Amino acid sequence: MNKSESIAALSAALSKAQGEFRGAIKDSNNQFFKSKYADLASCIESAREPLAKNGLAVIQLITETGGVETVLSHSSGEWISSII
């Protein structure tokens, strides 16, 4: 994990946003297990407003080695990231 020198404002904003998150709607069907699940679009939609309201953004980038770096950034300029 990488991060900015301080993540105090980011942490406070994320704490507030998490208090506003609602469950994603299970609106997709898994034909193999005969069950419903929340697809990626539903998960993103459930988090979009609370994140934006609290100055948070999620950014995903492809690395030079073909991995994916996910960055959680705050309007203060603070950020944390991880590569998989």
Side-chain angles (χ1 to χ4, degrees):
M1 179 185 80
N2 299 306
K3 63 181 182 64
S4 56
E5 191 171 312
S6 170
I7 59 168
L10 182 150
S11 297
L14 183 57
S15 177
K16 289 179 184 177
Q18 286 179 332
E20 299 173 18
F21 288 165
R22 298 292 167 248
I25 298 170
K26 293 181 179 181
D27 54 1
S28 295
N29 293 307
N30 182 322
Q31 60 184 330
F32 299 104
F33 293 106
K34 309 275 190 274
S35 61
K36 296 186 86 55
Y37 68 96
D39 63 12
L40 179 58
S42 181
C43 293
I44 291 171
E45 188 57 35
S46 71
R48 183 186 320 272
E49 189 175 332
L51 290 173
K53 180 178 169 184
N54 289 284
L56 296 163
V58 177
I59 306 157
Q60 289 191 306
L61 309 162
I62 303 298
T63 67
E64 294 175 2
T65 59
V68 177
E69 180 176 15
T70 302
V71 181
L72 178 64
S73 63
H74 184 252
S75 57
S76 68
E78 295 177 353
W79 57 274
I80 57 175
S81 75
S82 183
I83 298 172
I84 59 168

